[in-house]
Amino acid sequence: MTHPQPDERRDGAGRVPRTRAFSTRAFRTRAFRTRAFRTRAFSTRAFRTRAVAAAAAVLTVAAALSVRTLAGGGFAKYAGDALYTVLVHALLVFLAPRVRPLLAAGGALVFSCAVEFAQLSDVPARLSARSGAARLVLGSTFNAPDLLWYAVGAGAGWWVHRWAGRRRPPRAVQPFARDLSSDS
């Protein structure tokens, strides 16, 4: 009895399966075209999610700059911290459109806290002295209450992401509704 070579494996019916990735007949079928070439990254739903996340990021930056311009003091500072985390959340959803709300909020919170703890070193302060953009992104000094407001921003991002991603069922006729015209 000879054992089949690795390239001569046979299925249950004794046929040698094709070694190509797909046959030309399978390529022509509609099911192959729609499933094989529509990857998750380029699906309509992912595109729509990315568009909403990009719009949310732009609105978040506009809100943060408006708060910074119009308000002053502690409110502007802490609202900016929360909106910073919301922006990071929106950017995470833009990069990974199928991410779950809790994971995106957790990632935004971890990133924001990492930036805040990096301020314990002198690197962000030196970069902030050179560039205004670096000052907006990295900050300059560590402030412990910022961590609380990062958590508030992550919670707000989680809630909006969860609310926006919820599927609404179509309105249907109630199956157990009484027909009042038949009661005479």
Side-chain angles (χ1 to χ4, degrees):
M1 177 174 167
T2 60
H3 295 288
Q5 297 298 321
D7 57 333
E8 292 182 349
R9 291 195 176 99
R10 299 184 184 275
D11 60 3
R15 293 177 296 210
V16 177
R18 294 181 185 251
T19 57
R20 283 190 267 161
F22 57 86
S23 67
T24 52
R25 183 175 179 204
F27 179 71
R28 283 187 242 141
T29 62
R30 182 172 182 231
F32 182 86
R33 284 193 311 261
T34 56
R35 282 191 298 240
F37 292 112
R38 265 189 28 193
T39 62
R40 287 184 170 186
F42 299 108
S43 69
T44 305
R45 184 172 176 196
F47 179 77
R48 201 174 319 136
T49 302
R50 281 193 170 112
V52 170
V58 169
L59 288 174
T60 303
V61 169
L65 292 175
S66 298
V67 166
R68 187 177 170 95
T69 303
L70 299 175
F75 176 76
K77 181 182 179 346
Y78 295 126
D81 290 341
L83 288 171
Y84 178 81
T85 306
V86 171
L87 174 65
V88 172
H89 182 102
L91 292 176
L92 283 174
V93 172
F94 180 79
L95 292 175
R98 293 185 182 264
V99 69
R100 293 187 177 166
L102 190 60
L103 186 61
L109 180 62
V110 166
F111 180 81
S112 299
C113 290
V115 168
E116 188 68 28
F117 283 117
Q119 292 172 0
L120 291 171
S121 70
D122 63 339
V123 175
R126 281 188 281 147
L127 291 173
S128 296
R130 292 183 188 171
S131 169
R135 182 170 177 79
L136 288 174
V137 172
L138 300 175
S140 59
T141 57
F142 178 80
N143 188 15
D146 288 351
L147 300 174
L148 170 72
W149 292 102
Y150 292 147
V152 169
W158 168 80
W159 184 81
V160 170
H161 187 179
R162 186 169 172 243
W163 176 80
R166 168 181 94 193
R167 290 187 177 245
R168 292 170 187 88
R171 294 180 65 124
V173 177
Q174 293 178 352
F176 299 108
R178 263 180 72 179
D179 186 15
L180 297 177
S181 63
S182 65
D183 287 343
S184 295

